[in-house]
mmCIF file of all heavy atoms in Angstrom:
data_model
loop_
_atom_site.group_PDB
_atom_site.id
_atom_site.type_symbol
_atom_site.label_atom_id
_atom_site.label_comp_id
_atom_site.label_asym_id
_atom_site.label_seq_id
_atom_site.Cartn_x
_atom_site.Cartn_y
_atom_site.Cartn_z
ATOM 1 N N VAL A 12 73.896 1.259 -8.521
ATOM 2 C CA VAL A 12 75.272 0.887 -8.252
ATOM 3 C C VAL A 12 75.569 -0.498 -8.820
ATOM 4 O O VAL A 12 76.609 -0.703 -9.449
ATOM 5 C CB VAL A 12 75.525 0.849 -6.693
ATOM 6 C CG1 VAL A 12 76.932 0.357 -6.369
ATOM 7 C CG2 VAL A 12 75.311 2.289 -6.143
ATOM 8 N N SER A 13 74.722 -1.437 -8.545
ATOM 9 C CA SER A 13 74.993 -2.812 -8.947
ATOM 10 C C SER A 13 73.641 -3.614 -8.979
ATOM 11 O O SER A 13 72.745 -3.200 -8.325
ATOM 12 C CB SER A 13 75.960 -3.454 -8.044
ATOM 13 O OG SER A 13 76.377 -4.762 -8.531
ATOM 14 N N CYS A 14 73.701 -4.690 -9.725
ATOM 15 C CA CYS A 14 72.540 -5.527 -9.842
ATOM 16 C C CYS A 14 73.015 -7.010 -9.967
ATOM 17 O O CYS A 14 73.988 -7.280 -10.636
ATOM 18 C CB CYS A 14 71.697 -5.165 -11.010
ATOM 19 S SG CYS A 14 70.233 -6.183 -11.375
ATOM 20 N N ILE A 15 72.215 -7.892 -9.360
ATOM 21 C CA ILE A 15 72.476 -9.325 -9.550
ATOM 22 C C ILE A 15 71.156 -9.942 -9.878
ATOM 23 O O ILE A 15 70.120 -9.720 -9.254
ATOM 24 C CB ILE A 15 73.102 -9.971 -8.319
ATOM 25 C CG1 ILE A 15 73.446 -11.392 -8.549
ATOM 26 C CG2 ILE A 15 72.208 -9.812 -7.050
ATOM 27 C CD1 ILE A 15 74.427 -11.961 -7.544
ATOM 28 N N SER A 16 71.145 -10.776 -10.918
ATOM 29 C CA SER A 16 69.945 -11.342 -11.413
ATOM 30 C C SER A 16 69.528 -12.580 -10.653
ATOM 31 O O SER A 16 70.381 -13.218 -9.919
ATOM 32 C CB SER A 16 70.042 -11.660 -12.907
ATOM 33 O OG SER A 16 71.021 -12.696 -13.139
ATOM 34 N N ALA A 17 68.290 -12.931 -10.783
ATOM 35 C CA ALA A 17 67.806 -14.249 -10.219
ATOM 36 C C ALA A 17 68.335 -15.365 -11.110
ATOM 37 O O ALA A 17 68.703 -15.227 -12.242
ATOM 38 C CB ALA A 17 66.321 -14.245 -10.087
ATOM 39 N N GLY A 18 68.383 -16.551 -10.507
ATOM 40 C CA GLY A 18 68.756 -17.711 -11.298
ATOM 41 C C GLY A 18 70.241 -17.811 -11.605
ATOM 42 O O GLY A 18 71.011 -18.406 -10.843
ATOM 43 N N ASP A 19 70.648 -17.257 -12.688
ATOM 44 C CA ASP A 19 72.055 -17.386 -13.126
ATOM 45 C C ASP A 19 73.014 -16.405 -12.398
ATOM 46 O O ASP A 19 74.246 -16.625 -12.449
ATOM 47 C CB ASP A 19 72.225 -17.181 -14.639
ATOM 48 C CG ASP A 19 71.737 -15.853 -15.149
ATOM 49 O OD1 ASP A 19 71.456 -14.926 -14.252
ATOM 50 O OD2 ASP A 19 71.508 -15.681 -16.357
ATOM 51 N N GLY A 20 72.447 -15.480 -11.655
ATOM 52 C CA GLY A 20 73.301 -14.584 -10.876
ATOM 53 C C GLY A 20 74.177 -13.683 -11.628
ATOM 54 O O GLY A 20 75.287 -13.323 -11.197
ATOM 55 N N ASN A 21 73.812 -13.278 -12.869
ATOM 56 C CA ASN A 21 74.580 -12.329 -13.639
ATOM 57 C C ASN A 21 74.672 -11.021 -12.863
ATOM 58 O O ASN A 21 73.663 -10.577 -12.220
ATOM 59 C CB ASN A 21 73.934 -12.115 -14.981
ATOM 60 C CG ASN A 21 74.213 -13.266 -15.935
ATOM 61 O OD1 ASN A 21 75.109 -14.070 -15.745
ATOM 62 N ND2 ASN A 21 73.430 -13.294 -17.023
ATOM 63 N N THR A 22 75.786 -10.379 -13.006
ATOM 64 C CA THR A 22 75.981 -9.106 -12.256
ATOM 65 C C THR A 22 76.241 -7.941 -13.174
ATOM 66 O O THR A 22 76.722 -8.149 -14.348
ATOM 67 C CB THR A 22 77.126 -9.199 -11.275
ATOM 68 O OG1 THR A 22 78.335 -9.608 -11.978
ATOM 69 C CG2 THR A 22 76.832 -10.306 -10.258
ATOM 70 N N ASP A 23 75.968 -6.785 -12.724
ATOM 71 C CA ASP A 23 76.191 -5.542 -13.463
ATOM 72 C C ASP A 23 76.588 -4.480 -12.474
ATOM 73 O O ASP A 23 76.113 -4.493 -11.342
ATOM 74 C CB ASP A 23 74.889 -5.126 -14.265
ATOM 75 C CG ASP A 23 75.174 -4.107 -15.302
ATOM 76 O OD1 ASP A 23 76.321 -3.915 -15.697
ATOM 77 O OD2 ASP A 23 74.175 -3.465 -15.735
ATOM 78 N N TYR A 24 77.456 -3.535 -12.997
ATOM 79 C CA TYR A 24 77.984 -2.522 -12.022
ATOM 80 C C TYR A 24 78.009 -1.172 -12.782
ATOM 81 O O TYR A 24 78.166 -1.078 -14.014
ATOM 82 C CB TYR A 24 79.407 -2.811 -11.675
ATOM 83 C CG TYR A 24 79.498 -4.117 -10.855
ATOM 84 C CD1 TYR A 24 79.822 -5.324 -11.545
ATOM 85 C CD2 TYR A 24 79.346 -4.146 -9.499
ATOM 86 C CE1 TYR A 24 79.916 -6.487 -10.824
ATOM 87 C CE2 TYR A 24 79.470 -5.307 -8.816
ATOM 88 C CZ TYR A 24 79.776 -6.476 -9.450
ATOM 89 O OH TYR A 24 79.821 -7.691 -8.778
ATOM 90 N N ALA A 25 77.781 -0.172 -12.023
ATOM 91 C CA ALA A 25 77.958 1.185 -12.567
ATOM 92 C C ALA A 25 79.441 1.400 -12.874
ATOM 93 O O ALA A 25 80.311 0.828 -12.141
ATOM 94 C CB ALA A 25 77.501 2.313 -11.524
ATOM 95 N N ASP A 26 79.736 2.199 -13.829
ATOM 96 C CA ASP A 26 81.153 2.392 -14.199
ATOM 97 C C ASP A 26 81.986 2.917 -13.049
ATOM 98 O O ASP A 26 83.145 2.588 -12.959
ATOM 99 C CB ASP A 26 81.220 3.365 -15.447
ATOM 100 C CG ASP A 26 80.816 2.765 -16.683
ATOM 101 O OD1 ASP A 26 80.690 1.521 -16.750
ATOM 102 O OD2 ASP A 26 80.500 3.493 -17.610
ATOM 103 N N SER A 27 81.306 3.687 -12.215
ATOM 104 C CA SER A 27 82.070 4.351 -11.135
ATOM 105 C C SER A 27 82.551 3.369 -10.034
ATOM 106 O O SER A 27 83.432 3.736 -9.256
ATOM 107 C CB SER A 27 81.177 5.424 -10.462
ATOM 108 O OG SER A 27 79.992 4.845 -9.983
ATOM 109 N N VAL A 28 81.968 2.179 -10.015
ATOM 110 C CA VAL A 28 82.342 1.224 -9.020
ATOM 111 C C VAL A 28 82.951 -0.080 -9.552
ATOM 112 O O VAL A 28 83.377 -0.945 -8.751
ATOM 113 C CB VAL A 28 81.111 0.846 -8.078
ATOM 114 C CG1 VAL A 28 80.552 2.147 -7.523
ATOM 115 C CG2 VAL A 28 80.078 0.021 -8.857
ATOM 116 N N LYS A 29 83.022 -0.177 -10.867
ATOM 117 C CA LYS A 29 83.583 -1.408 -11.438
ATOM 118 C C LYS A 29 84.994 -1.685 -10.966
ATOM 119 O O LYS A 29 85.844 -0.720 -10.953
ATOM 120 C CB LYS A 29 83.556 -1.319 -12.971
ATOM 121 C CG LYS A 29 82.199 -1.501 -13.575
ATOM 122 C CD LYS A 29 82.268 -1.436 -15.111
ATOM 123 C CE LYS A 29 80.879 -1.620 -15.752
ATOM 124 N NZ LYS A 29 80.881 -1.482 -17.167
ATOM 125 N N GLY A 30 85.253 -2.857 -10.607
ATOM 126 C CA GLY A 30 86.608 -3.238 -10.152
ATOM 127 C C GLY A 30 86.798 -2.984 -8.676
ATOM 128 O O GLY A 30 87.830 -3.451 -8.025
ATOM 129 N N ARG A 31 85.880 -2.323 -8.033
ATOM 130 C CA ARG A 31 85.938 -2.021 -6.599
ATOM 131 C C ARG A 31 84.816 -2.682 -5.800
ATOM 132 O O ARG A 31 85.115 -3.096 -4.664
ATOM 133 C CB ARG A 31 85.967 -0.499 -6.367
ATOM 134 C CG ARG A 31 87.064 0.227 -7.024
ATOM 135 C CD ARG A 31 87.112 1.735 -6.559
ATOM 136 N NE ARG A 31 85.928 2.439 -6.933
ATOM 137 C CZ ARG A 31 85.059 2.983 -6.062
ATOM 138 N NH1 ARG A 31 85.270 2.894 -4.746
ATOM 139 N NH2 ARG A 31 83.976 3.672 -6.528
ATOM 140 N N PHE A 32 83.667 -2.769 -6.367
ATOM 141 C CA PHE A 32 82.535 -3.371 -5.651
ATOM 142 C C PHE A 32 82.219 -4.709 -6.270
ATOM 143 O O PHE A 32 82.322 -4.959 -7.469
ATOM 144 C CB PHE A 32 81.297 -2.416 -5.812
ATOM 145 C CG PHE A 32 81.348 -1.093 -5.082
ATOM 146 C CD1 PHE A 32 82.561 -0.683 -4.491
ATOM 147 C CD2 PHE A 32 80.207 -0.360 -4.944
ATOM 148 C CE1 PHE A 32 82.586 0.511 -3.843
ATOM 149 C CE2 PHE A 32 80.281 0.877 -4.295
ATOM 150 C CZ PHE A 32 81.473 1.291 -3.690
ATOM 151 N N THR A 33 81.700 -5.573 -5.403
ATOM 152 C CA THR A 33 81.215 -6.880 -5.846
ATOM 153 C C THR A 33 79.925 -7.235 -5.198
ATOM 154 O O THR A 33 79.798 -7.149 -3.946
ATOM 155 C CB THR A 33 82.237 -7.999 -5.435
ATOM 156 O OG1 THR A 33 83.565 -7.702 -5.958
ATOM 157 C CG2 THR A 33 81.813 -9.341 -5.956
ATOM 158 N N ILE A 34 78.963 -7.480 -6.048
ATOM 159 C CA ILE A 34 77.618 -7.964 -5.548
ATOM 160 C C ILE A 34 77.579 -9.456 -5.511
ATOM 161 O O ILE A 34 78.039 -10.136 -6.438
ATOM 162 C CB ILE A 34 76.514 -7.309 -6.343
ATOM 163 C CG1 ILE A 34 75.149 -7.573 -5.667
ATOM 164 C CG2 ILE A 34 76.515 -7.843 -7.777
ATOM 165 C CD1 ILE A 34 73.966 -6.765 -6.327
ATOM 166 N N SER A 35 76.950 -10.024 -4.533
ATOM 167 C CA SER A 35 76.776 -11.491 -4.454
ATOM 168 C C SER A 35 75.485 -11.798 -3.729
ATOM 169 O O SER A 35 74.885 -10.907 -3.088
ATOM 170 C CB SER A 35 77.996 -12.138 -3.794
ATOM 171 O OG SER A 35 78.113 -11.670 -2.434
ATOM 172 N N ARG A 36 75.091 -13.053 -3.766
ATOM 173 C CA ARG A 36 73.899 -13.449 -3.013
ATOM 174 C C ARG A 36 74.108 -14.805 -2.406
ATOM 175 O O ARG A 36 74.800 -15.686 -2.902
ATOM 176 C CB ARG A 36 72.679 -13.426 -3.946
ATOM 177 C CG ARG A 36 72.705 -14.383 -5.145
ATOM 178 C CD ARG A 36 71.625 -14.010 -6.162
ATOM 179 N NE ARG A 36 70.305 -13.775 -5.561
ATOM 180 C CZ ARG A 36 69.335 -13.094 -6.080
ATOM 181 N NH1 ARG A 36 69.446 -12.548 -7.275
ATOM 182 N NH2 ARG A 36 68.105 -12.908 -5.456
ATOM 183 N N ASP A 37 73.485 -14.967 -1.307
ATOM 184 C CA ASP A 37 73.386 -16.217 -0.565
ATOM 185 C C ASP A 37 71.941 -16.551 -0.436
ATOM 186 O O ASP A 37 71.304 -16.107 0.522
ATOM 187 C CB ASP A 37 74.088 -16.142 0.809
ATOM 188 C CG ASP A 37 74.211 -17.489 1.501
ATOM 189 O OD1 ASP A 37 73.444 -18.398 1.156
ATOM 190 O OD2 ASP A 37 75.139 -17.621 2.354
ATOM 191 N N ASP A 38 71.432 -17.341 -1.307
ATOM 192 C CA ASP A 38 69.981 -17.603 -1.343
ATOM 193 C C ASP A 38 69.545 -18.406 -0.082
ATOM 194 O O ASP A 38 68.416 -18.200 0.306
ATOM 195 C CB ASP A 38 69.644 -18.366 -2.613
ATOM 196 C CG ASP A 38 69.742 -17.490 -3.889
ATOM 197 O OD1 ASP A 38 69.688 -16.286 -3.769
ATOM 198 O OD2 ASP A 38 69.848 -18.125 -4.994
ATOM 199 N N ALA A 39 70.405 -19.227 0.441
ATOM 200 C CA ALA A 39 70.081 -19.932 1.568
ATOM 201 C C ALA A 39 69.823 -19.020 2.801
ATOM 202 O O ALA A 39 69.018 -19.339 3.705
ATOM 203 C CB ALA A 39 71.170 -20.955 1.969
ATOM 204 N N LYS A 40 70.524 -17.873 2.773
ATOM 205 C CA LYS A 40 70.293 -16.855 3.834
ATOM 206 C C LYS A 40 69.302 -15.767 3.451
ATOM 207 O O LYS A 40 69.098 -14.861 4.220
ATOM 208 C CB LYS A 40 71.632 -16.285 4.236
ATOM 209 C CG LYS A 40 72.578 -17.228 4.831
ATOM 210 C CD LYS A 40 73.874 -16.588 5.273
ATOM 211 C CE LYS A 40 74.860 -17.513 5.938
ATOM 212 N NZ LYS A 40 76.130 -16.840 6.353
ATOM 213 N N ASN A 41 68.807 -15.845 2.188
ATOM 214 C CA ASN A 41 67.871 -14.868 1.752
ATOM 215 C C ASN A 41 68.488 -13.493 1.788
ATOM 216 O O ASN A 41 67.795 -12.504 2.146
ATOM 217 C CB ASN A 41 66.524 -14.922 2.517
ATOM 218 C CG ASN A 41 65.305 -14.835 1.675
ATOM 219 O OD1 ASN A 41 65.323 -15.115 0.488
ATOM 220 N ND2 ASN A 41 64.205 -14.367 2.304
ATOM 221 N N THR A 42 69.759 -13.415 1.394
ATOM 222 C CA THR A 42 70.495 -12.191 1.556
ATOM 223 C C THR A 42 71.347 -11.815 0.357
ATOM 224 O O THR A 42 71.909 -12.809 -0.259
ATOM 225 C CB THR A 42 71.448 -12.310 2.881
ATOM 226 O OG1 THR A 42 70.606 -12.554 3.976
ATOM 227 C CG2 THR A 42 72.241 -11.070 3.061
ATOM 228 N N VAL A 43 71.494 -10.603 0.065
ATOM 229 C CA VAL A 43 72.373 -10.129 -0.971
ATOM 230 C C VAL A 43 73.383 -9.175 -0.360
ATOM 231 O O VAL A 43 73.054 -8.445 0.567
ATOM 232 C CB VAL A 43 71.648 -9.399 -2.080
ATOM 233 C CG1 VAL A 43 72.578 -8.690 -3.050
ATOM 234 C CG2 VAL A 43 70.819 -10.396 -2.906
ATOM 235 N N TYR A 44 74.651 -9.249 -0.877
ATOM 236 C CA TYR A 44 75.730 -8.465 -0.255
ATOM 237 C C TYR A 44 76.328 -7.554 -1.305
ATOM 238 O O TYR A 44 76.199 -7.741 -2.529
ATOM 239 C CB TYR A 44 76.820 -9.410 0.259
ATOM 240 C CG TYR A 44 76.362 -10.404 1.218
ATOM 241 C CD1 TYR A 44 76.036 -11.719 0.785
ATOM 242 C CD2 TYR A 44 76.271 -10.165 2.600
ATOM 243 C CE1 TYR A 44 75.637 -12.687 1.682
ATOM 244 C CE2 TYR A 44 75.836 -11.066 3.502
ATOM 245 C CZ TYR A 44 75.490 -12.353 3.021
ATOM 246 O OH TYR A 44 75.105 -13.259 3.914
#
């Protein structure tokens, strides 16, 4: 569905969800959304 890289936080999405889904991370909380 989606991917977020370590460090620079680059994101990638499947075509089916582009524009609708957003991946993010909060490293302080050790959590990805």
